[in-house]
Amino acid sequence: MAPFDERPAGAPEWDWENTTSVPHSVANLINCILGAGLVALPYCFRTAGLVLAIVLMLLCMLSSRFTYALLLYCRQLSNRKTYEELCEQAVGRVGRATVQVCEAAVNLGTMVAYLNILADVLSSVAGTIIPPGAETQRQLFVIGVTLVGALPVALGVRDPRTMAVLSAASVVFVFLFAIVMSLAALVASSGRIHSDVIMWDWSGLLVAFPVMAYSFTAHGDYLDIYSEMREPTIRKMLKVTDVALSLCSSL
């Protein structure tokens, strides 16, 4: 058997076609990790406390790094290319169908969360521009974002390189948003930590831990990103994973 960081013997040629570069793979993985769970992270810090939330975040990040490596090794050992195929190899067709239903439910919940967040943001912005009494209903914002934004991207973007560019743009936007919010918080607090900031609260552990764990999971898309990477090796993908997880944690 070939070493884990080399091309497996007998691997088909199309597995090694040029698709996405390493930076684009990092952007794709960050975009998958920064899901709807990111929006709830401030609530985790509020309920569990600053220090405890950071500890939980580091534990979840290291656990995700370990399970990502396991996926890569299992893929090479079993010669299965997708997360669903690995599930079928491990627990049969019923297990694969169960995983697919769970993935569909997670994706649906994430999309609903994003649509509601965008509708709230657009409603707030519109309230500062449109005269009072002429605001559009929130339901119309949800429908508009779905038809104009989400649906065309979901149906039209199939090329992995195009997806990588969109992922990079979204990652840049998220980081700029985080920088702006951090500067605004520093200005508002004059650089001082308020006395009412909670540092450690065990009562918020059961609330914060599941959200933290979800925030670093992208296992359903992980092997697809690996397959679409230019000349993929496990060593190269682990470097991509380390960079992506480090950037997500710093954010």
Side-chain angles (χ1 to χ4, degrees), residues 148-169:
V148 178
L151 191 59
V153 173
L155 296 179
V157 179
R158 299 296 180 184
D159 181 33
R161 283 167 290 189
T162 304
M163 294 180 63
V165 173
L166 293 176
S167 296

Side-chain angles (χ1 to χ4, degrees), residues 104-132:
V106 169
N107 291 332
L108 178 61
T110 303
M111 180 59 68
V112 170
Y114 279 143
L115 290 177
N116 279 278
I117 292 169
L118 287 174
D120 290 337
V121 172
L122 292 177
S123 298
S124 301
V125 173
T128 62
I129 300 175
I130 301 176

Side-chain angles (χ1 to χ4, degrees), residues 47-48 52 56 201-212:
T47 56
L52 180 57
L56 291 176
D201 186 0
W202 285 111
S203 63
L205 176 63
L206 296 180
V207 176
F209 180 71
V211 178
M212 288 285 186

Side-chain angles (χ1 to χ4, degrees), residues 166-212:
L166 293 176
S167 296
S170 62
V171 169
V172 170
F173 174 79
V174 171
F175 271 89
L176 289 177
F177 178 77
I179 292 173
V180 171
M181 292 301 296
S182 299
L183 293 176
L186 288 175
V187 171
S189 61
S190 300
R192 299 189 304 271
I193 299 179
H194 292 282
S195 58
D196 57 349
V197 174
I198 301 173
M199 291 297 176
W200 194 288
D201 186 0
W202 285 111
S203 63
L205 176 63
L206 296 180
V207 176
F209 180 71
V211 178
M212 288 285 186

